[in-house]
Structure formats: C-alpha cells, structure tokens
Amino acid sequence: MHRTRSNSNLSDLKPDEDLLKKIGKKSGMASNTAKTWAYPNTRRDESVVDEHGVADPYRWLEDPDSEETRAWVEEQNKLTFGFLEECDYRGKIHERLKEVYNYPKYSCPFKRGDRFYFFKNDGLQNQSVLYTQETLDAEPTVFMDPNTLSEDGTASLGTRAFSESGAYYAHGIQRSGSDWQTVYVKQVASGDNLPDKLEWVKFSSIAWTHDDKGFFYARYPPPPKIDSTEGGKAGSEVDTNLHQKVYYHKLGTSQEEDPLIFETPDEPTLIFGVEVTDDGRYLLLTHHKGTAPVNKLYYYDLARFEPAAGGDHGLSVVKLVDNWEAQYEYITNEGTLFWFKTNLKAPKNKLITIDLTRPDESEWKELVAESEDVLDYAICFDHDKLALGYIHHVQTVLYVHALVSGERLLSIPMPAPGTVQEISGKKKESYLFYYFVSFLYPGTIFLYDRTSKHGTEPVPFREIQVPGFDASLFATEQVFYTSRDGTRVPMFVVSKRDTPRDGSAPVYLYGYGGFSISIQPSFSSFRMVLMQNLNVTVAIANIRGGGEYGEDWHTAGTLEKKQNVFDDFIGAAEWLVEHRYTSPARIVIVGGSNGGLLVGACTNQRPDLFGCAVAQVGVLDMLRFHKFTIGHAWTPDYGCADNDADFQYLIKYSPVHNVRPGTTYPAVLLTTGDHDDRVVPLHSYKYISALQHTVGSYEKQVQPLMIRIETKAGHGGGKPTSKAIEEAADTYTFIARTLGLTWTD
C-alpha cells in the first residue's frame, strides 16, 4: 500500500496528553514524576580544546587502558545492569529470545573442488559450523567447528577461501570481536592444519593462485605495544590503521618470507582488494579510498609468476584504471575480455566489457545499460550466463542474462516481496543457490539449475522452519512519506494484524542511512518477540545515504547533505504519529554504527519526538572519528573536521557536541564493546558523559541515560549467539521498562 504524508507542518508536534495519561498508568517510567539517577561523577577537563577552540572535556576517555577509564566503565555498567535487574520480566525476555532463536540456520551450499560446503547453526551454537558433503544428497560431516576455538565462543571465522582445486582452505580467525585476524591453512583431505600462520590481517580478501601453491592477501604493520593478534589485547587499541600492503604467501614458508607485491607509501590510507581471475591468469588489484564508491584497477599477468622468498616477485603492474572517477567490480573474463559492474556515468550501475588489448576508455563496451532499478550484483554461472540482482523499491528482482550479448533471457520468480540475502554460483557450474527472506518469511534456499528437469523454475532446496512462528498473525506494508525537502522516502511497517490504529501502539523505528548500504527486508526472530510478546510495531525507514535508489540516493545523504538523513528519519517518526500508528512517547529509535550516529543526532535535534533512543556502537564524535583505527576510511561520507569547510557542517550535528541543556530527553541507551576497533568505544563513552552531565542534572529529566559496555565484543561481526541474545534481552528490557510496555505470553 502506498501512502503519502500531508503537507501539514509537524515541526511543533505535541504529544497526545490523554494518551500519555493512559500510558502513564502502565509504568512509572512514563509518568511525569521526576527521578534522580546516581550517574558516575565523570571527570571533566575543561582545559582541553581542539584546534578549532571546541571544548573536549572527556578526551581522557580516549585511552582505553588507563585505570581511570577502566574504573569509569565498571561504574557505568554497575548503574546500567542494576537498572535492568529491577525489571520484573528481564529473565522472561531472555528466555523467550533463546526459545525463538533456537532453530537450525543454514547458508547457501557452495562447491569447491569436488565437494560441497555449507554453514549450519543447530540453534544456539555460538558460532556456525562449516559442513562438507561429497554430493548434495550425501550425509554432511563437520569440516570446521569454530566453537572449539574458545570456551566462550568469542573466536570466529573471518576472511576465507578454498584453493582452486579445493585441496586447501585458508581462513582467518578473529577474537573477541576485533577486526584483526590471524590466517591459517587447513588441508582438506586430512583435515590437518598446516604450520602457516599470518598475523595482522585486516580488511583483506584471500586470492589463491590456481596452482595451489599460495595466495595473495593484505596486511597492516602491527600497532605499537601489541605483540600478537592472539593475546586477547588486539582490538582494544585505538591506533590508526595505515599503510596496508599486499603480499604473496607461499605455503610452507614463514610470514617473514612473504614477498611484497604492492604498496603506496605516499598514500597511507588506501585499502587494497585482491582477486585472481576465473581462468587463473591475472591478479586484479583494486585501490580504495575508504568507503568511497570509486576505485583504481590494476592487474598483473601471472603467467610467469615465480616469487622469491622475501625478494622480487617478478610481476609488472598494468594500470587499467588509474583515476578516482568510478567503481569497478570484476565479474568474469574470457582471455583478455573482461566483464565489470560499474557506476561510471551510471549511478544505478551497469555492465561493461573491457578488452585488455584495447584498454582505452573509448574502446569499452556497454553490455547491460543502466535501468530504473539499481543493479546490486552480477554473478557468472553455467559458463555463459549472468545472474543479475536488482533492487526495485527496496526489494530484490533477479534475472538471467546472456554473458556475451547481455540479452535478458528470463526472470527468476520470487515467492513474495523480499530479499535475496545470499547467492552462490560459479562460472563452471550450471546452477545457482539463493537464499530468500522477508520480514515474515524466515527463509528458503532455492536451487536454480539450468540443466535440471525443472527447466527455468527454481525449486526449494531447504526451507527454514521457526517453531511456533505463525506469519498469518502479522502484516507488512510499504508506505511512502514526504521528507522535509519534498523527497519521497519508503518505509516498511510490520505489526500484528490486530494492532490498534489509535496512536497507542509502541513503535520500534530503525534506520541506517549511510555508505550506500541498502536496508532490505529481512527476517529476525528477535523482532518477533518485540511484536508478539511486547506488542511493538516495527518500522524500517529507507532513508537517504543508503543505496536503495543508487548512488544519487547515497550522495544526497553525505558530507554537507548529511542533515537530509536526519530529516528523513525524523519525517518517518512524524508520519507514524500523524497517521495514528503511535505517539511520540511510544517511539523508540534504534540504529547501529552509522545508524548510531543517526540516533544520536536525531535525539539531540528532536528529543520531544521519541520516548526512547538506542544507539549501538555509534559514530558520535564527528570532529575526531578519523583519528582512530579505520575512521579515516569514512571521510568520503562524512568529511573531515581537519578541513575548515567540513568542520562547519560537522560541528552542527556531531552528537557529542550538540547535547541540549535545559531540555527533556527520551530514555537513552548506548551499547558498545571493549574490542570494537571499527567504531572505537570512546565515541559512546564521550556521548553518554555529555548526556549525563548536561541532561542528567536537569530537574525535569525523568528518563535514564545509560550505557552498556560488553567485554570481549567488537563491532558485531562474529559475536557469539550467547552474547547476541544477552544484548538483545537487555536492550528490549530497557525499551520495555522506559516505554511502559506490558508482556503478553
């Protein structure tokens, strides 16, 4: 159903007083009775200012290893967990989350060598297990179980790749949620680990040469004061990640012997991607300026590659694309003819071919033109076919095209509006596997095989079953509302079918809005607890900054236009109130990482519009984010305060610097992890300190301002199931208590 918001001005939106009185009867937290919270007495150093003269009184919290910071963390957690323990049904929420999450989960199968592989989690295993089988009908056996790597489940699989023959498996192990990885190699036939061990790998793929002798990868110099990625400390540091370099590792040699393949000492912030082509002839090397949707593209001819240990690799680089004008993603090649997905003069992407023997741009050929929908990915399979996935109004459509001509051959039907969450296929195999999900569709893995008796029809290969889940009790609608500047923005709304439309329902409003990331429909059993047991409506706003409508949609929410993202999110909440889905006191806004920035900025700008705000691992200090770990990679989206022009707009919305005194705020919960080396926890430390000092002392501030700091946890990748459930239970408990929600069995 399409809906449009009226042009009434909601900037002075007031809560429904009668409704607030009714809600207030359900929970003392929602009443107008002031409460004083015993926040830790966080030291403020008023003498610390930056180069712009902006006060930074909590800079001391940037040192994660100081005794003062550690004591502060302990005090904050004591306050937060004490508050959560007072909720009568915290344990009930936790047990219910365990119950609904306890079902088998699978990945798409994929073939490497002569064997099939897939990941499976029996239900509550901390990490998914990699299984193997000789055929799709054979009994699977465990190939690698990450749960055996640590007692608490905090060791997880990271980057990984089988060699071309399938004889070896290189895989990175991450610990405590850190992005740092140690790469090991496993022999497939015996199951034994080889002595090879590569440390300080981060943001790297693994690209095997087709002779199975070794692989290319990228690593950083070790940060100061840390000896190893395995000691438990790596990931808690805040040192900037610079000077990534590309190496080749030959099996059976030490990492110190790995020959250096490529580096850019004059451009220390660049990040590199490595990929060996389908035919094994070329190494493709992409250069990335952080998260910008552009890259340079170089290649090496591997025909005479004979690397000497620690010496000259004997390769000559060819600069195919040596500018920052567009992004190029390798699809496949036939000899010197290459297929790429690109946004070159095509913000919604297209397919082109480039012949290495005629590399001039004037010789490039357009194979599949840009369309009204966003070309999300392209996979070559069945030797001469392409599977092209598009985003149409935030939902997946999937087509098969001819490789050579680019002609569209057919459309692969989806079972409902939703998302192809995962897809696997290879050029030399005739089939595709794809994993379809939606908000009310737990998931089905489909097999599409051009050579099967089913012809052009995909068949269910494995259906995901969630015990006790009845999709018929819920409904999903997609609405469109008008943002502040007139832009039409889509939003999904999911709720029980009998949810009243009188403004009384609580709403969980989620957004992201950055880095061209599209938030498409997905299934979450956790959200089912919100909807089924706490009677919450879930809303997902597809705001600008994401990739739902291509690069123009992305750039409309970046740099000096970042305020559009916040306006879109605020507009979503206003639309939900205007159309009687909810009221301001019943809205919780939630977002993680860049979405945490979204929540922080919107909380500061419109504290009257929300009842609760949850910012997870958020980017919250916009004046200094680029100075820590990989923060410099985000400047294409945010800008950089070292630039005076960028500073002028960053200072206007930076959450840490825009807390409003003398203003009543909603309940606020920040979550972070002590090993988050993506968005370092100092962001959350500073913001909660500013909130508690400025707002917490305000006599009319009723709702709590708290932070939950997890140990042995990072940005989210590889988080064990037990910790994910505990964090979700605590988050939902905080929401339930502060919004005055009631539990329904």
Side-chain angles (χ1 to χ4, degrees):
M1 179 185 297
H2 290 191
R3 297 173 183 258
T4 55
R5 187 164 74 91
S6 69
N7 292 324
S8 60
N9 186 350
L10 295 180
S11 61
D12 294 324
L13 191 67
K14 301 296 183 184
D16 184 324
E17 296 298 333
D18 291 335
L19 180 61
L20 279 183
K21 291 177 182 177
K22 182 169 64 176
I23 296 169
K25 294 178 181 179
K26 299 179 180 178
S27 169
M29 294 305 303
S31 73
N32 292 322
T33 303
K35 178 172 178 62
T36 301
W37 300 98
Y39 297 120
N41 186 22
T42 304
R43 177 170 65 87
R44 286 174 58 86
D45 187 345
E46 304 289 355
S47 67
V48 179
V49 296
D50 67 13
E51 55 269 32
H52 296 282
V54 177
D56 193 8
Y58 304 112
R59 187 171 293 186
W60 60 271
L61 284 167
E62 293 180 357
D63 182 359
D65 297 322
S66 74
E67 291 186 8
E68 189 176 15
T69 299
R70 290 175 178 172
W72 179 90
V73 167
E74 185 176 346
E75 287 185 54
Q76 293 286 352
N77 271 342
K78 183 178 180 180
L79 172 67
T80 301
F81 286 110
F83 173 82
L84 295 171
E85 288 166 2
E86 292 176 4
C87 182
D88 293 338
Y89 45 81
R90 181 192 185 198
K92 185 174 290 189
I93 293 175
H94 185 271
E95 288 306 309
R96 179 63 176 146
L97 287 171
K98 283 179 64 177
E99 180 183 351
V100 300
Y101 200 72
N102 190 12
Y103 64 92
K105 307 164 192 69
Y106 297 84
S107 74
C108 285
F110 56 94
K111 191 175 185 181
R112 296 295 182 266
D114 57 0
R115 302 187 67 85
F116 288 91
Y117 297 87
F118 65 92
F119 284 93
K120 178 188 177 185
N121 190 306
D122 289 339
L124 296 177
Q125 290 176 289
N126 275 321
Q127 303 292 337
S128 294
V129 178
L130 182 57
Y131 287 82
T132 184
Q133 53 193 149
E134 293 183 2
T135 68
L136 291 174
D137 298 324
E139 186 70 21
T141 58
V142 173
F143 176 72
M144 183 173 183
D145 184 359
N147 296 290
T148 64
L149 301 176
S150 63
E151 292 185 3
D152 58 4
T154 56
S156 62
L157 278 174
T159 185
R160 49 192 179 266
F162 284 88
S163 64
E164 179 64 16
S165 71
Y168 300 102
Y169 179 59
H171 55 280
I173 300 297
Q174 299 173 254
R175 298 186 181 275
S176 301
S178 168
D179 283 328
W180 289 118
Q181 302 186 44
T182 303
V183 175
Y184 301 91
V185 180
K186 189 180 185 75
Q187 190 174 50
V188 171
S190 66
D192 296 334
N193 287 321
L194 301 183
D196 304 66
K197 176 181 174 182
L198 312 180
E199 294 197 279
W200 305 114
V201 178
K202 182 185 281 195
F203 311 128
S204 174
S205 53
I206 292 172
W208 284 87
T209 52
H210 281 204
D211 57 10
D212 280 10
K213 291 182 178 179
F215 52 85
F216 300 95
Y217 71 103
R219 74 172 190 253
Y220 285 96
K225 302 179 182 178
I226 301 180
D227 298 328
S228 172
T229 53
E230 295 187 314
K233 184 174 176 55
S236 64
E237 79 288 344
V238 298
D239 305 272
T240 305
N241 300 138
L242 298 172
H243 296 291
Q244 191 188 50
K245 302 176 184 180
V246 175
Y247 293 86
Y248 174 79
H249 177 72
K250 184 178 181 180
L251 292 188
T253 64
S254 68
Q255 186 172 20
E256 290 72 22
E257 297 177 81
D258 292 351
L260 174 66
I261 302 298
F262 192 82
E263 64 176 330
T264 53
D266 296 333
E267 297 180 275
T269 62
L270 294 187
I271 300 172
F272 302 107
V274 288
E275 186 170 9
V276 172
T277 54
D278 287 340
D279 59 4
R281 177 65 184 268
Y282 302 97
L283 169 67
L284 301 181
L285 175 68
T286 52
H287 310 46
H288 301 270
K289 296 179 74 170
T291 57
V294 296
N295 62 265
K296 292 184 178 181
L297 177 62
Y298 297 176
Y299 71 88
Y300 297 90
D301 189 334
L302 297 177
R304 299 179 181 176
F305 179 46
E306 289 292 340
D312 184 18
H313 51 71
L315 293 175
S316 298
V317 66
V318 180
K319 300 178 179 181
L320 184 61
V321 179
D322 198 28
N323 58 58
W324 300 108
E325 295 177 359
Q327 188 172 51
Y328 302 86
E329 180 182 318
Y330 169 75
I331 308 302
T332 190
N333 69 297
E334 295 280 350
T336 60
L337 184 63
F338 279 67
W339 281 254
F340 292 98
K341 178 172 79 75
T342 183
N343 57 10
L344 179 67
K345 301 174 184 176
K348 292 184 178 178
N349 301 326
K350 63 183 179 181
L351 291 188
I352 63 171
T353 58
I354 302 176
D355 193 327
L356 301 186
T357 64
R358 298 189 296 276
D360 190 83
E361 186 176 334
S362 63
E363 299 284 345
W364 299 359
K365 306 297 183 184
E366 182 178 86
L367 185 71
V368 178
E370 181 184 25
S371 73
E372 293 184 358
D373 295 332
V374 179
L375 176 57
D376 194 25
Y377 52 83
I379 293 178
C380 183
F381 76 108
D382 194 25
H383 306 282
D384 60 355
K385 306 295 188 303
L386 291 169
L388 303 187
Y390 285 85
I391 301 175
H392 173 76
H393 288 308
V394 202
Q395 300 166 38
T396 297
V397 288
L398 190 60
Y399 301 106
V400 175
H401 286 240
L403 176 66
V404 176
S405 68
E407 176 189 1
R408 181 172 294 175
L409 303 177
L410 55 91
S411 172
I412 298 180
M414 299 290 109
T419 308
V420 172
Q421 183 173 277
E422 180 187 357
I423 187 167
S424 69
K426 295 199 75 173
K427 186 175 183 178
K428 61 185 179 181
E429 306 294 347
S430 64
Y431 48 80
L432 288 173
F433 288 97
Y434 63 92
Y435 192 155
F436 176 86
V437 297
S438 194
F439 293 114
L440 302 177
Y441 195 106
T444 297
I445 298 173
F446 287 93
L447 170 61
Y448 174 74
D449 190 344
R450 299 274 299 178
T451 65
S452 77
K453 62 181 180 180
H454 301 285
T456 60
E457 290 298 316
V459 295
F461 174 76
R462 182 172 282 138
E463 295 191 41
I464 309 302
Q465 302 290 336
V466 180
F469 170 63
D470 183 357
S472 68
L473 300 176
F474 306 91
T476 300
E477 59 180 327
Q478 185 180 35
V479 302
F480 291 80
Y481 64 92
T482 304
S483 189
R484 182 177 182 179
D485 64 356
T487 299
R488 190 168 179 254
V489 182
M491 175 168 59
F492 291 101
V493 182
V494 192
S495 64
K496 280 184 177 179
R497 290 188 180 275
D498 59 358
T499 299
R501 191 67 61 81
D502 61 0
S504 66
V507 167
Y508 178 102
L509 175 59
Y510 178 86
Y512 186 79
F515 303 105
S516 198
I517 293 173
S518 301
I519 307 299
Q520 293 185 256
S522 62
F523 181 81
S524 167
S525 59
F526 286 0
R527 286 199 299 253
M528 292 301 117
V529 175
L530 279 177
M531 293 192 291
Q532 188 167 8
N533 300 106
L534 292 169
N535 300 297
V536 174
T537 294
V538 172
I540 312 292
N542 297 108
I543 54 185
R544 281 174 286 183
E548 288 88 344
Y549 290 101
E551 187 54 26
D552 290 343
W553 192 255
H554 168 225
T555 57
T558 62
L559 303 174
E560 76 281 359
K561 299 177 183 177
K562 188 68 176 177
Q563 184 60 41
N564 287 337
V565 180
F566 313 138
D567 289 343
D568 288 357
F569 201 54
I570 289 168
E574 291 176 335
W575 188 93
L576 289 163
V577 172
E578 181 184 8
H579 289 78
R580 305 294 288 169
Y581 283 79
T582 188
S583 68
R586 303 291 270 170
I587 299 175
V588 53
I589 53 172
V590 183
S593 195
N594 175 75
L597 162 61
L598 171 73
V599 169
C602 290
T603 302
N604 286 342
Q605 293 180 16
R606 288 298 306 277
D608 61 303
L609 187 54
F610 317 113
C612 181
V614 180
Q616 302 162 323
V617 293
V619 186
L620 299 163
D621 184 346
M622 302 310 296
L623 303 189
R624 289 176 60 77
F625 71 86
H626 59 289
K627 298 180 180 292
F628 308 104
T629 59
I630 200 61
H632 58 78
W634 315 327
T635 56
D637 249 51
Y638 297 147
C640 178
D642 292 345
N643 179 295
D644 287 339
D646 294 352
F647 169 81
Q648 296 303 321
Y649 62 77
L650 287 168
I651 190 62
K652 291 179 181 178
Y653 72 79
S654 176
V656 166
H657 302 92
N658 285 278
V659 176
R660 296 165 60 178
T663 303
T664 301
Y665 268 57
V668 174
L669 176 67
L670 308 185
T671 66
T672 188
D674 66 348
H675 278 68
D676 188 347
D677 49 358
R678 187 86 55 89
V679 180
V680 288
L682 64 89
H683 287 274
S684 297
Y685 296 175
K686 285 185 170 184
Y687 186 47
I688 201 63
S689 297
L691 284 172
Q692 291 175 351
H693 172 80
T694 305
V695 179
S697 59
Y698 183 45
E699 60 183 9
K700 296 183 180 180
Q701 179 64 30
V702 176
Q703 296 282 35
L705 311 165
M706 295 180 172
I707 184 171
R708 182 189 189 278
I709 305 156
E710 183 64 85
T711 59
K712 297 186 74 175
H715 198 60
K719 180 174 290 185
T721 295
S722 58
K723 284 186 179 290
I725 291 174
E726 289 169 2
E727 182 177 331
D730 287 347
T731 300
Y732 291 178
T733 299
F734 186 88
I735 294 170
R737 187 178 178 197
T738 57
L739 293 189
L741 306 184
T742 55
W743 180 267
T744 301
D745 286 320

